[in-house]
Amino acid sequence: MRRYIIYILLSVVFACAKAQISRLGENVQYSFTAQGTAGGGDNAPFWFTNNRYGLGTTENFSGLARVALWRTVETDSIWFWRMGYGVDLASPINGENGYFCIQQAYADIEWKMLRLSLGQKERPSELKNPYLSTGGLTLGMNARPLPQVRFELPDFWAIPGTRGIFSFKGHVAYGWYTDGAWQRKFNAGTSNIYTSGSMFHSKALLIRLGNRELFPLEVAGGLEMACQFGGTGWNILPYVGTTLLQDVALGGNFLTAFVPGGGDVNDENFTNAAGNHIGSWHLRMDWKEEKWNIGIYMEHLFEDHSQMFMQYGFWKDMLLGVEANLPKNPFLSTIVYEYNHTMDQSGTIYHDATAEIPVQVSARDDYYNNHIYGAWQMGGFVMGNPLILSPVYNPYFNKRGSLTIQHNRLAVHHIGLAGNPSDEWAWRTLYTHQVSYGSYNMPLLNPQSSNYLLLEATYSPRWCRGLSFSSSYGHNIGDLIGNSYGAMLSVRFDGWLNRTQW
């Protein structure tokens, strides 16, 4: 099935590229990056590891070399048909996913406002600041991108006749996971569950009300959903004799991923929707003046159908945030504050209706955990918010090979600050205070807390356009992932090939 889909889509790409081929070599950008990290303690500083699209590591000493080449679709902005592409190669030292990876490889084809995106591409979280936020709850910036076929309205499109007041954006995507070999290696010597060859689906619809030219208030919100389905499961069913590994074909298909249905192989008498379903409700309000703006936003996570609506009363779990962009000054440009509460999870009780007790209670959601797929993760990193600690930390928790999330009942305060003192200098600071109660399946007798700090400065000299140097200091203090400290140095150069637009 994948082969036929790829053949069809490549045919579309070549047909569209035929008219654009003369422009594909124009306005191509490139970058080279070298990065090194050194420190001490139990794990690398939290913000050195997380929200780096899966290229971070928990190791105290690490390095990264990266080369990228890309052309944005905005280059063809005067045309109805537009094309962009990108290739991004990374070579980590002490990374979680080997010594070489194709981080991004994609082609974007646009017709007017519609885009077909093919391949794997880094995508920021919806309606959040990618530089200062902790990231989205359903799909964040923490894991490596998945190869996928994605139809989308990438930007808000104003419906004609509404004076720009009513607009929307959205997407539908199907793809596949590439971490089967990593899961097998991570699980080596244990009997923990893991999967290979599974598929991915996501969709979103966001609506925006408001037109800044008419009134400064804008309101945007909507629904985002994702699913992992299919593939092969290992150690899912009870052992037979001395067999250590059992491969089981997992349920789900393209239709049951889009409209949840079917069932999993070990549901027995209590059928659930096939696959690992997750989603979020988003809401954001912005007051936008000419030189400043302030926004407040909310994201509410739900697993399967639990808490998708107010089935168990008003939502208690959500990420709440405030973002302020200040008038231009040499000190502080942007402030972000977030509070993330995930301790309720619909309540403490889960019960499937039986003849004795004919009441269905779909609570105890156990965020990011799944009895088939282990966790909502890719290559060891959760695909949502990294403060629900990723499986890469499980060896530190003495849970070697386990993909199970150990800490998902959290209360988190987070502050992000950024500034641009001059054209040459920029800085940002992240500080996060996290309290964990473990999970309902593995509760902590006493809550554990940690504090994560990042200080970062970037220098982009005028005398060499495209060159930049970044230095960062990170620090962890607390019980969850131990105490540690470290420094990171990065050098990057960005340039152009055959630039025709200035």
Side-chain angles (χ1 to χ4, degrees):
M1 178 62 71
R2 293 182 193 173
R3 185 181 305 170
Y4 292 127
I5 293 174
I6 292 173
Y7 286 161
I8 293 171
L9 292 172
L10 286 177
S11 300
V12 174
V13 171
F14 290 136
C16 297
K18 186 176 180 181
Q20 315 295 329
I21 196 71
S22 62
R23 301 198 303 271
L24 291 183
E26 298 177 354
N27 298 297
V28 178
Q29 297 172 261
Y30 64 88
S31 69
F32 300 98
T33 304
Q35 175 183 296
T37 302
D42 300 297
N43 289 285
F46 183 87
W47 291 118
F48 285 8
T49 303
N50 296 284
N51 275 355
R52 297 180 182 271
Y53 292 101
L55 291 179
T57 175
T58 60
E59 298 293 333
N60 287 311
F61 294 88
S62 63
L64 178 67
R66 193 170 179 180
V67 57
L69 185 77
W70 71 95
R71 181 183 192 267
T72 66
V73 293
E74 288 76 18
T75 300
D76 296 331
S77 59
I78 64 173
W79 306 88
F80 280 162
W81 283 100
R82 298 178 290 273
M83 292 196 65
Y85 55 83
V87 178
D88 182 1
L89 308 178
S91 179
I93 299 173
N94 278 343
E96 301 293 340
N97 292 276
Y99 292 95
F100 173 79
C101 67
I102 301 175
Q103 179 68 3
Q104 300 184 84
Y106 63 89
D108 290 339
I109 304 167
E110 280 192 0
W111 180 75
K112 294 187 176 180
M113 295 296 293
L114 295 173
R115 177 185 294 175
L116 170 63
S117 185
L118 309 173
Q120 56 192 76
K121 182 179 182 181
E122 295 179 351
R123 304 179 189 278
S125 304
E126 296 285 3
L127 304 181
K128 295 178 182 65
N129 185 315
Y131 196 52
L132 299 177
S133 171
T134 60
L137 296 178
T138 293
L139 294 172
M141 305 169 288
N142 198 46
R144 291 194 58 221
L146 297 174
Q148 56 189 276
V149 178
R150 181 178 171 113
F151 295 92
E152 61 182 343
L153 271 170
D155 302 307
F156 281 103
W157 175 70
I159 296 178
T162 65
R163 300 181 66 190
I165 295 175
F166 188 87
S167 57
F168 69 94
K169 63 180 288 191
H171 81 267
V172 175
Y174 285 94
W176 51 89
Y177 284 78
T178 59
D179 67 341
W182 178 88
Q183 288 197 35
R184 182 179 288 272
K185 180 180 178 182
F186 189 69
N187 185 69
T190 75
S191 58
N192 298 312
I193 62 171
Y194 67 97
T195 60
S196 61
S198 56
M199 303 290 290
F200 168 80
H201 165 65
S202 69
K203 54 185 173 285
L205 177 62
L206 300 174
I207 298 171
R208 186 176 69 190
L209 300 176
N211 183 340
R212 182 181 174 184
E213 296 180 358
L214 301 176
F215 191 74
L217 179 64
E218 286 184 349
V219 180
L223 180 64
E224 177 183 38
M225 296 182 68
C227 174
Q228 183 179 7
F229 65 99
T232 301
W234 302 85
N235 299 332
I236 300 297
L237 301 178
Y239 290 167
V240 176
T242 59
T243 301
L244 295 179
L245 296 177
Q246 292 189 71
D247 59 311
V248 179
L250 301 178
N253 54 49
F254 288 87
L255 180 59
T256 58
F258 188 82
V259 180
D264 288 321
V265 295
N266 59 354
D267 281 347
E268 298 178 350
N269 296 326
F270 304 109
T271 301
N272 199 356
N276 183 15
H277 293 263
I278 189 172
S280 292
W281 287 104
H282 294 266
L283 180 64
R284 179 171 179 132
M285 294 184 288
D286 285 276
W287 187 276
K288 298 184 177 181
E289 295 290 348
E290 183 178 352
K291 295 183 179 180
W292 62 273
N293 70 272
I294 186 167
I296 58 174
Y297 53 90
M298 175 277 292
E299 182 178 357
H300 167 67
L301 180 72
F302 57 87
E303 294 261 10
D304 300 321
H305 62 277
S306 302
Q307 283 291 299
M308 183 175 182
F309 302 103
M310 293 185 182
Q311 179 180 357
Y312 296 103
F314 187 76
W315 297 331
K316 298 178 181 179
D317 289 344
M318 61 183 68
L319 186 153
L320 301 172
V322 179
E323 178 181 354
N325 294 286
L326 307 179
K328 186 173 179 61
N329 68 83
F331 307 107
L332 182 61
S333 302
T334 308
I335 303 171
V336 168
Y337 167 75
E338 291 181 344
Y339 174 67
N340 192 354
H341 182 283
T342 64
M343 290 191 294
D344 183 61
Q345 302 193 28
S346 302
T348 60
I349 298 173
Y350 182 91
H351 175 71
D352 286 301
T354 63
E356 294 78 12
I357 307 178
V359 177
Q360 176 71 33
V361 182
S362 300
R364 207 173 68 187
D365 293 333
D366 204 12
Y367 293 156
Y368 291 3
N369 278 323
N370 184 266
H371 66 295
I372 293 289
Y373 294 95
W376 183 242
Q377 67 87 43
M378 162 65 183
F381 292 90
V382 297
M383 296 177 64
N385 193 288
L387 292 165
I388 299 179
L389 297 175
S390 296
V392 292
Y393 289 107
N394 283 357
Y396 176 75
F397 301 141
N398 295 317
K399 299 288 184 179
R400 186 173 64 87
S402 173
L403 294 177
T404 305
I405 301 300
Q406 309 298 309
H407 297 272
N408 60 21
R409 297 186 63 232
L410 311 171
V412 178
H413 295 273
H414 170 81
I415 297 175
L417 307 173
N420 293 92
S422 70
D423 293 338
E424 294 183 297
W425 287 95
W427 64 270
R428 69 167 174 159
T429 295
L430 304 179
Y431 171 73
T432 310
H433 174 69
Q434 176 180 21
V435 178
S436 172
Y437 291 78
S439 67
Y440 280 131
N441 288 331
M442 294 169 286
L444 296 176
L445 295 179
N446 298 299
Q448 295 181 348
S449 64
S450 280
N451 299 276
Y452 313 126
L453 175 68
L454 174 71
L455 304 173
E456 183 175 273
T458 301
Y459 174 58
S460 304
R462 295 191 188 96
W463 49 265
C464 187
R465 187 175 181 180
L467 180 66
S468 63
F469 303 89
S470 293
S471 61
S472 306
Y473 174 77
H475 208 121
N476 297 343
I477 299 176
D479 306 316
L480 283 172
I481 58 174
N483 300 318
S484 60
Y485 58 91
M488 177 187 294
L489 297 176
S490 303
V491 180
R492 175 170 172 148
F493 184 80
D494 293 88
W496 291 83
L497 296 176
N498 191 23
R499 186 173 186 178
T500 61
Q501 297 178 4
W502 296 87

